[in-house]
Amino acid sequence: MKQLGEVFEFSAIGVVRTPFKDRFGVPRQPGLAAQAKGVIKINPDPDLKTALRSLEEFTHIWIVFVFHDHGGKGWKPSIRPPRLGGNRKVGVLASRSPHRPNPIGLSAVLVEKIDFDAEGGPEIHIGGVDLVDGTPVLDIKPYIAYADSIPQASAGWASAPIPRYPVIFSDEAENEILKRDPQGKQNLRALIVDVMELDPRPAFQKRQNPVTDSASWGQRYGIDVLGNDVKYELRESGLYVYDVQDLKK
Amino acid sequence: MKQLGEVFEFSAIGVVRTPFKDRFGVPRQPGLAAQAKGVIKINPDPDLKTALRSLEEFTHIWIVFVFHDHGGKGWKPSIRPPRLGGNRKVGVLASRSPHRPNPIGLSAVLVEKIDFDAEGGPEIHIGGVDLVDGTPVLDIKPYIAYADSIPQASAGWASAPIPRYPVIFSDEAENEILKRDPQGKQNLRALIVDVMELDPRPAFQKRQNPVTDSASWGQRYGIDVLGNDVKYELRESGLYVYDVQDLKK
């Protein structure tokens, strides 16, 4: 990265473990909440364990993390938000895109429990996670509603409604989901809907082959949801999940 | 700082300019809003100017910054929140204290205007600032209410009510304030109240000499508010501002 000013060094205090191995499978719906679970694995250091004391009293925390997939790639001054259909460019600092001058991310998650004495270092069990597995953590802060919650804040371009598409399942897909998550403990079906209704394809694919364009209908894709390869086809009616298979490595 | 994990390097994209030269004069009241104003001075780089495009559409932004006063001092695993009267220790990661493993801070502020073509680099004029002058900025993100605002989040120890003390002015102090801010453009009087009612003394002084302890009454302090030396005395009735003087350098 080009140096922009005074340089600071930070070191990871832990790593986020999630079922999302690939960023296109990460739920981008905020408030997806409890369905997408993960663990912040804190490095085994007695001082860090002490530093977490009383954190269990908070319902929500901020994770300050590194967009590690983008570390070496440099940053882009402007991006095309997928939400705007790729039709408009905005500055990267006016977005939450990972391709920022300093690839630092911010995510508010739910604290489910903290296991201070887990083997290999404390574990913070979290819900509502939108992070890729392996994300390095720089800081954790309690979410303090009277300072952090500004419900009346209004968002320029980001207030455009997020397009959502119907997600339809074939009988075969329904059966596969039942077989893979028989008691519904993983909420696999709900998670597939949450991930898919926003059209999880990379931005350039969304631009080139919009769901609503008849020329796209019939095109097939696969996406990893909790280690399952969810096969779907673009149709006039929306995203049609025709099968759920084992992920080929 | 002791290395805790993988190391990352970030460089400042700008600096926050505020009237607060000293961290004890910084309003710690969240939502103090428009009264405490500042400017984020972005480094003069054409890419950074582009990166800010469309940011003016948002009412609020996050500043991701460095607690620069604490860079070299290392971090403390636990702290005594002033709010709890110094009677209880909590882990530093369960607090918003600057003495963190990675001294990264987070502050949501109001965007008043953006001057993209200011001399020496773009300027983001902000309100509701709680940052010390000279704070290095690592990142700016739009505040997006549907993701960032969690009004129902509840805060363990931090939900203890913040003690506030009455602030009383002598006639002399009132006259000085009128003289220094005749049209009230700086909101000097309101800002003094906002800063002082929370008892802006360092934590150890608050612990040793609580406002409510009769042994503290009569003790005198001075605090810098917008470059004015606000002289006050602890009294049974609260914080008594007896004079406002020029700051001695």
Side-chain angles (χ1 to χ4, degrees), chain B residues 176-196:
Chain B
E176 276 297 325
I177 290 167
L178 262 176
K179 211 159 69 186
R180 284 153 196 267
D181 185 25
Q183 275 134 40
K185 278 190 187 162
Q186 293 188 294
N187 273 312
L188 180 59
R189 192 182 190 282
L191 198 56
I192 292 174
V193 173
D194 284 331
V195 167
M196 294 209 36

Side-chain angles (χ1 to χ4, degrees), chain A:
Chain A
M1 195 193 80
K2 187 170 70 165
Q3 190 182 318
L4 297 161
E6 194 182 351
V7 175
F8 299 91
E9 247 184 28
F10 300 105
S11 65
I13 62 169
V15 70
V16 189
R17 291 290 163 211
T18 73
F20 310 114
K21 308 299 170 198
D22 170 343
R23 70 193 173 93
F24 296 116
V26 175
R28 263 173 271 182
Q29 181 185 358
L32 171 57
Q35 289 172 32
K37 291 180 195 293
V39 169
I40 308 174
K41 188 74 189 171
I42 299 292
N43 296 347
D45 176 307
D47 281 346
L48 284 178
K49 184 176 162 183
T50 304
L52 293 172
R53 198 189 297 165
S54 304
L55 191 66
E56 73 281 3
E57 295 179 17
F58 293 84
T59 58
H60 295 74
I61 54 173
W62 288 109
I63 306 177
V64 181
F65 62 90
V66 181
F67 287 108
H68 64 307
D69 277 349
H70 305 273
K73 283 194 214 157
W75 63 284
K76 301 177 194 168
S78 58
I79 55 122
R80 295 176 184 275
R83 149 136 28 151
L84 299 176
N87 300 321
R88 206 186 124 192
K89 274 190 167 184
V90 304
V92 72
L93 295 175
S95 83
R96 302 288 276 244
S97 160
H99 306 283
R100 353 187 36 83
N102 291 304
I104 298 175
L106 200 57
S107 187
V109 298
L110 203 66
V111 180
E112 305 212 318
K113 70 168 184 192
I114 302 185
D115 182 352
F116 288 90
D117 299 307
E119 205 177 326
E123 288 180 353
I124 307 171
H125 293 252
I126 53 179
V129 188
D130 59 352
L131 301 172
V132 182
D133 187 52
T135 296
V137 175
L138 295 179
D139 196 10
I140 288 166
K141 294 178 194 291
Y143 189 100
I144 298 185
Y146 66 73
D148 297 335
S149 176
I150 311 177
Q152 77 279 14
S154 82
W157 65 262
S159 50
I162 308 180
R164 282 168 210 273
Y165 303 98
V167 180
I168 309 113
F169 294 82
S170 71
D171 290 345
E172 201 173 340
E174 295 279 14
N175 287 336
E176 275 297 325
I177 290 168
L178 263 176
K179 211 158 70 185
R180 285 155 196 268
D181 185 24
Q183 276 134 40
K185 278 190 188 161
Q186 292 189 294
N187 274 313
L188 180 59
R189 192 181 189 284
L191 198 56
I192 292 174
V193 173
D194 284 332
V195 167
M196 294 207 38
E197 67 179 1
L198 297 172
D199 186 3
R201 294 175 299 157
F204 72 92
Q205 278 184 1
K206 293 195 201 194
R207 263 200 308 280
Q208 283 179 359
N209 304 301
V211 181
T212 48
D213 181 350
S214 62
S216 311
W217 300 341
Q219 296 204 357
R220 295 188 155 195
Y221 301 90
I223 183 168
D224 170 10
V225 179
L226 301 182
N228 305 285
D229 190 9
V230 178
K231 296 293 199 185
Y232 65 101
E233 186 178 295
L234 302 188
R235 293 195 171 183
E236 186 171 6
S237 50
L239 304 180
Y240 179 74
V241 180
Y242 62 89
D243 202 3
V244 175
Q245 303 177 354
D246 286 335
L247 206 61
K248 288 193 190 81
K249 302 292 171 190

Side-chain angles (χ1 to χ4, degrees), chain B residues 63-218:
Chain B
I63 307 176
V64 180
F65 62 90
V66 181
F67 287 108
H68 64 307
D69 276 348
H70 304 273
K73 284 193 214 158
W75 63 284
K76 301 178 192 168
S78 58
I79 56 120
R80 295 175 183 276
R83 145 130 39 143
L84 300 176
N87 299 320
R88 206 184 126 194
K89 275 189 165 181
V90 304
V92 72
L93 295 175
S95 82
R96 302 288 276 245
S97 160
H99 305 283
R100 355 187 33 84
N102 291 306
I104 298 175
L106 199 58
S107 188
V109 298
L110 203 67
V111 180
E112 305 211 317
K113 70 168 183 189
I114 303 184
D115 182 352
F116 289 90
D117 299 307
E119 204 177 329
E123 288 181 353
I124 308 172
H125 293 253
I126 53 179
V129 188
D130 59 352
L131 300 172
V132 181
D133 187 52
T135 296
V137 175
L138 296 179
D139 196 12
I140 287 166
K141 295 178 193 292
Y143 189 100
I144 298 185
Y146 66 73
D148 297 334
S149 176
I150 311 177
Q152 78 278 17
S154 85
W157 66 261
S159 49
I162 308 180
R164 280 169 211 273
Y165 304 97
V167 180
I168 310 113
F169 294 82
S170 71
D171 289 346
E172 201 173 340
E174 295 279 15
N175 287 336
E176 276 297 325
I177 290 167
L178 262 176
K179 211 159 69 186
R180 284 153 196 267
D181 185 25
Q183 275 134 40
K185 278 190 187 162
Q186 293 188 294
N187 273 312
L188 180 59
R189 192 182 190 282
L191 198 56
I192 292 174
V193 173
D194 284 331
V195 167
M196 294 209 36
E197 67 179 0
L198 298 171
D199 186 3
R201 293 175 299 158
F204 73 92
Q205 278 185 0
K206 291 194 203 197
R207 262 201 309 281
Q208 284 178 359
N209 304 302
V211 181
T212 49
D213 181 351
S214 62
S216 311
W217 300 341

